[in-house]
Amino acid sequence: MNERLHGINVFVHAVEAGSFSAAAVRLHQTRSAVAKTIARLEERLGVRLFHRTTRSQSLTEAGESYYERCVRALAELDAGEACIGSGRSEPTGRLRISVPVLFGRQFVAPLMLELARRYPQLALDISFSDRVVDLIDEGFDIGLRVGPLPDSSTLAARRLGQQRMLVCAAPAYLAQHGRPAHEDDIPQHDGILYSRGRVVKEWDIAPAGARARTVMPRQRLLFDDLQAIADAAAAGMGLVWLPCWLVAPYVKRGELEVLFDCGELEASQMHLVWPHTPYMPAKLRVAIDTLLEVTPIYLASAEATPAV
């Protein structure tokens, strides 16, 4: 029976991933292992499930019919396990989490490691990526998103808080180039900006009592890594526009000074998102509750970074 369920699971992943190679990545298996599992399943059923060529694969008529029934069967199994798991006080099983690289590394990973220490039956699979992953297609239980959320009928969401954006510079830079007295002075200064795919991120600023607008310093340095931007600023290379939680350690060490608080920006809101499910397993509930409890405190402590 276990082999039978394994074959069904691999088959569904192969269909939804679009190829045996992509399914192998999701399942942490080799491509040959996936192909052998599908071949054994086809042999047991006595039908071909896929049309295969060297460049593509598609479902046969029998494969399409079998896939629809397999999806329903696996959904029922997941719902049954979640229903049982939701009554447990001890989180068990593997929890797959998608988080932005730096915030995930600095905050989420240590927090989840504490959960893993507290609950020995909880297994973690954390992916660090700044792209917006498809939680359902890529098999994640939960994700952390920065920025406004699009409407979705398949995802649930809870607001974690807001990462305030700050304009900062090193004391050495300010001593040499002067301190901007107003946001309108920023274009006269060298900047270290975030750039990816030749698209440079503008600096959004919404001072209290004023309309939100964008400003751009001189594009002295362009990086696609926020940590590198912070380090370059600490070295005195120019002004930066960065999240409060990232610059807080630099400010405390005296390596950066806060020049402007950029105010409440919709693009800096943080949310937890997860696929809608009729039953929430204990592993998901404990992760959501922990992040909802601790993240606002963490962000608030970072927002308290003093302007010098």
Side-chain angles (χ1 to χ4, degrees):
M1 179 62 73
N2 287 340
E3 176 62 27
R4 185 178 180 184
L5 289 176
H6 173 69
I8 291 173
N9 185 52
V10 171
F11 168 65
V12 169
H13 273 85
V15 175
E16 294 178 348
S19 70
F20 289 0
S21 298
V25 172
R26 293 188 185 183
L27 293 166
H28 303 290
Q29 298 181 14
T30 63
R31 185 194 180 284
S32 62
V34 170
K36 287 177 182 177
T37 299
I38 298 297
R40 287 195 296 268
L41 181 61
E42 290 178 324
E43 183 179 358
R44 182 172 62 79
L45 295 172
V47 297
R48 290 188 65 84
L49 298 172
F50 290 99
H51 295 297
R52 302 183 186 85
T53 69
T54 56
R55 295 188 178 183
S56 66
Q57 72 177 40
S58 61
L59 286 172
T60 63
E61 184 177 348
E64 291 179 357
S65 177
Y66 189 60
Y67 169 71
E68 292 175 0
R69 286 165 171 77
C70 287
V71 168
R72 289 199 294 269
L74 290 176
E76 285 297 319
L77 285 172
D78 288 341
E81 291 179 0
C83 182
I84 294 171
S86 63
R88 297 174 181 162
S89 58
E90 184 82 2
T92 62
R94 183 168 299 278
L95 185 69
R96 297 199 68 219
I97 309 170
S98 171
V99 293
V101 176
L102 281 180
F103 191 78
R105 184 186 302 159
Q106 183 168 316
F107 173 70
V108 179
L111 195 61
M112 292 299 101
L113 288 177
E114 284 300 317
L115 281 186
R117 290 191 185 97
R118 192 184 314 165
Y119 302 111
Q121 299 304 313
L122 178 65
L124 296 176
D125 183 347
I126 304 178
S127 174
F128 301 85
S129 175
D130 289 329
R131 69 182 178 89
V132 178
V133 304
D134 188 313
L135 297 183
I136 296 175
D137 282 353
E138 299 183 45
F140 286 100
D141 298 297
I142 190 170
L144 191 151
R145 299 274 171 84
V146 179
L149 292 179
D151 292 335
S152 173
S153 60
T154 58
L155 296 177
R158 287 287 300 275
R159 188 176 184 273
L160 284 173
Q162 185 148 353
Q163 56 168 17
R164 296 187 77 88
M165 302 299 292
L166 306 174
V167 177
C168 305
Y173 175 88
L174 298 175
Q176 182 177 356
H177 300 278
R179 177 185 295 269
H182 191 271
E183 292 90 349
D184 293 336
D185 298 331
I186 289 176
Q188 281 71 57
H189 284 265
D190 292 336
I192 311 163
L193 293 94
Y194 184 87
S195 173
R196 174 167 290 183
R198 298 186 179 181
V199 176
V200 179
K201 176 62 179 174
E202 295 180 321
W203 294 4
D204 296 318
I205 295 181
R211 290 186 60 186
R213 66 185 191 280
T214 60
V215 297
M216 286 286 281
R218 294 191 294 263
Q219 298 180 23
R220 177 80 189 282
L221 297 173
L222 302 178
F223 294 116
D224 67 357
D225 182 86
L226 296 182
Q227 190 72 65
I229 291 174
D231 290 340
M237 299 302 295
L239 274 57
V240 290
W241 180 77
L242 291 171
C244 55
W245 54 265
L246 179 56
V247 303
Y250 293 86
V251 174
K252 291 176 182 177
R253 293 193 298 264
E255 297 171 351
L256 290 177
E257 296 183 13
V258 177
L259 304 176
F260 305 108
D261 182 334
C262 297
E264 298 285 336
L265 300 169
E266 184 181 8
S268 62
Q269 292 182 5
M270 304 181 74
H271 293 85
L272 281 180
V273 293
W274 62 92
H276 274 297
T277 175
Y279 305 103
M280 183 172 289
K283 63 180 181 180
L284 181 57
R285 168 55 62 195
V286 73
I288 291 173
D289 287 347
T290 300
L291 287 164
L292 286 173
E293 177 184 359
V294 180
T295 308
I297 299 172
Y298 177 73
L299 292 175
S301 65
E303 287 176 10
T305 299
V308 177

